[in-house]
Each structure stands twice: as C-alpha cells, then as structure tokens.
Amino acid sequence: MIRGLYTAASGMFALERKQEALSDNLANAETPGYKKDDTVLRSFPKLFMQRVQDFNENGAATGGTQIPGMAVPIGELTNGVYAQERIPSFSQGAVVETGNALDVAIDDQSIPFQTVNGRQVKPAAFFAVQLPDGTVGYTRNGKWDLDVNGNVVTTDGYRVLGADHQPITITDSISKEDLYIGADGQIVAYPSDPAKTKTVGQIGIAVAQNPLELRRLGGNAYGSDTPLAFIQDGGGANPGVTLQQGYMEQSNVDASQTMTDMMMTVKGYEANQKVISAYDSSLQLLNSVGKING
C-alpha cells in the first residue's frame, strides 16, 4: 500500500515540473524569438518480482520435482514517473512585419537536415550576443535598438556581435532609421544617398548543427560548451540563412494549446491527490483496527 503512495507522489512531482515549464512558456508567449520547452515524462525502471523457496508451485511447474530456491515469477512492478528534462523546441516562430529598422528576423528553413548520432537533426541559426559576464550567448531575439553609446542591443540589454565577433557599434551619430540591413547581414548607412553611403558593420550569424546541445541561460539566450562558428568566418559557407529587416520572429508558443495542456496537467495532479487521499483513509482505518479500548 505504501508503494502506491510513492507512485502517486512521483506523478504529482512530475506534473508539477511540467506545469512550471508550461507556465514559463505561457509567460513568454509574446517574447520575440522565444523557444518553448517541452517536458519529457518517463517511467522509472520496472521491477520483475519473483517468489523463492516456493516448493509446492515449483513442483507443479516441473512435473512433481521440487527444486529448493527455484524462483516463481509474480509479475512486473511499476514505480511511477519522473520529469526527466525540459527540451527546447527550435521550430520557426511566426515572422511578422513591424517596419522598424532594427527589427531583424532569421529565416533558416532552407538549412538541410544533418545526421547526428544516427538521427536526423535540423540545425538552427542564431544571433550571437555578448552576455554581461563577457561570454558569448546565442538568441533568436531580433528586436533591437541602439543604446546611448551606439551599441546595437537586444531587448534584454545584450550587445549584438558582428561578423568579426565584436559588438556592433554605430558611430557618427547615425540614427537607426538611416540603416539598411541586407539579407546577408551587411549593415549600410544612408543607402539612399550615394554620397554618404557606407558599410558600418555586419551581423554575425552562428549555426548550431545540433541545437539540442545548447543550454538555456535565461533571458531568452542559450550557451554552448563549444563556441559556435559564424557563417562569415574564414572557410565558412552560408548553409541557407537569410535575414529580413523590418520583421520580427515571434515566440513559437501556441498560447491556446499551452493553456489546454496546463488544464490537463492540473487534472492529472488532482487525480494523483485523490489516490493519496484514498490511501490515507485506508491507512487511518487500518490504524484504528485492533485498538484496545477504542
């Protein structure tokens, strides 16, 4: 009976973690470039139960011969479930037009699938950003602005890195409305005035061959144990990535589906609560049986 309590409790713990992931997804449904997390629930290894020293059944099973210590199968025992991990989904979010000069969306749907460890994996492209501790992070957040020093920054305050792996800085008091960003990431100032036109930078684009190896750092950014190469690096090639100025990639969270999943998770949690309540009532009744003088 106690084992049933543990099984129900494991289900509650797992569903609680799943609900946390769903809540994070819903909270970031409007965050530019956010990638949702899917929670994987797995069962604990099953136990195969047997009886030993069961001479009578052993004798029946072996034509009357009794073998001391021979095991008699009983069946399998399941030990509940657990939330193994949260796996990000790097599917493309909806791309919407904003008209803002420093809104940039990545289109990486043309990147071919790669075979990684015997399975097909879709690589994903990212903008490279400089994190507060000086390390490099990767994000799909293409909603940018200029800070007081002319640095191109994301809504999280991270500085966007250029193809030279250095932060992109717009000098000479050039406003963001005077910038043109090409499909290859080239940033050109005053594109409509030939006398003043000049290239002021190029956006660095990194491609993760297996994006599932990235780890979420918070603030809509990911980290990698091994720095990702830029497609503009020497010897590199563009695998099929283009940028769209004036567009923004939205979160890939489906708010309505997420709310439905949250309600189903709550129902599952309540079902496990009822199982524990039933066990608790049975244990109270068992505790009262055989008491002397009531």
Side-chain angles (χ1 to χ4, degrees):
M1 184 179 296
I2 299 299
R3 193 178 298 276
L5 282 173
Y6 293 151
T7 301
S10 72
M12 294 177 69
F13 288 136
L15 291 173
E16 183 177 1
R17 291 194 61 186
K18 182 177 181 179
Q19 190 77 335
E20 290 174 355
L22 291 171
S23 298
D24 289 343
N25 290 342
L26 191 60
N28 287 280
E30 300 298 326
T31 301
Y34 181 84
K35 300 304 179 185
K36 67 177 181 178
D37 281 335
D38 295 323
T39 306
V40 178
L41 301 183
R42 299 186 184 277
S43 62
F44 285 105
K46 294 181 180 179
L47 300 179
F48 186 70
M49 302 185 67
Q50 297 177 322
R51 293 200 305 268
V52 295
Q53 304 290 347
D54 196 330
F55 296 146
N56 292 332
E57 289 194 19
N58 284 339
T62 58
T65 304
Q66 296 184 354
I67 304 176
M70 184 175 182
V72 177
I74 298 176
E76 292 183 342
L77 178 65
T78 303
N79 290 305
V81 300
Y82 66 101
Q84 183 181 32
E85 56 187 333
R86 290 166 57 165
I87 301 177
S89 170
F90 290 98
S91 60
Q92 179 92 34
V95 176
V96 298
E97 185 175 6
T98 64
N100 297 325
L102 283 182
D103 283 354
V104 186
I106 291 179
D107 182 359
D108 61 356
Q109 296 306 292
S110 298
I111 300 179
F113 280 81
Q114 303 289 332
T115 301
V116 179
N117 296 327
R119 62 174 180 170
Q120 293 291 301
V121 176
K122 182 70 166 63
F126 297 87
F127 300 114
V129 294
Q130 187 178 67
L131 302 176
D133 61 0
T135 59
V136 177
Y138 307 94
T139 183
R140 294 282 291 215
N141 183 359
K143 190 169 184 61
W144 303 338
D145 206 343
L146 296 178
D147 64 12
V148 294
N149 297 316
N151 296 307
V152 179
V153 295
T154 69
T155 52
D156 298 307
Y158 302 148
R159 293 197 290 179
V160 180
L161 299 182
D164 59 355
H165 296 257
Q166 299 300 316
I168 300 174
T169 303
I170 307 300
T171 58
D172 301 329
S173 300
I174 301 173
S175 66
K176 59 184 179 181
E177 289 76 15
D178 294 323
L179 298 175
Y180 168 76
I181 300 174
D184 61 351
Q186 286 280 353
I187 305 175
V188 179
Y190 309 113
S192 59
D193 187 347
K196 299 172 62 177
T197 300
K198 62 179 180 179
T199 300
V200 295
Q202 185 175 16
I203 299 169
I205 304 172
V207 175
Q209 297 301 317
N210 184 4
L212 295 180
E213 293 181 346
L214 301 177
R215 62 184 186 280
R216 192 184 292 277
L217 301 177
N220 203 13
Y222 296 87
S224 174
D225 293 334
T226 302
L228 302 180
F230 289 6
I231 62 176
Q232 299 95 341
D233 290 345
N238 190 331
V241 182
T242 58
L243 303 184
Q244 295 176 283
Q245 183 184 24
Y247 289 81
M248 180 186 69
E249 181 186 4
Q250 296 181 319
S251 166
N252 66 354
V253 175
D254 185 332
S256 59
Q257 182 61 50
T258 301
M259 293 180 68
T260 300
D261 291 342
M262 291 179 72
M263 289 188 289
M264 293 179 62
T265 301
V266 170
K267 292 297 183 182
Y269 191 91
E270 291 176 347
N272 281 286
Q273 281 184 316
K274 291 179 180 179
V275 170
I276 290 180
S277 179
Y279 272 114
D280 183 59
S281 298
S282 298
L283 290 173
Q284 289 182 5
L285 181 62
L286 180 64
N287 187 54
S288 64
V289 174
K291 281 189 176 181
I292 300 176
N293 295 328

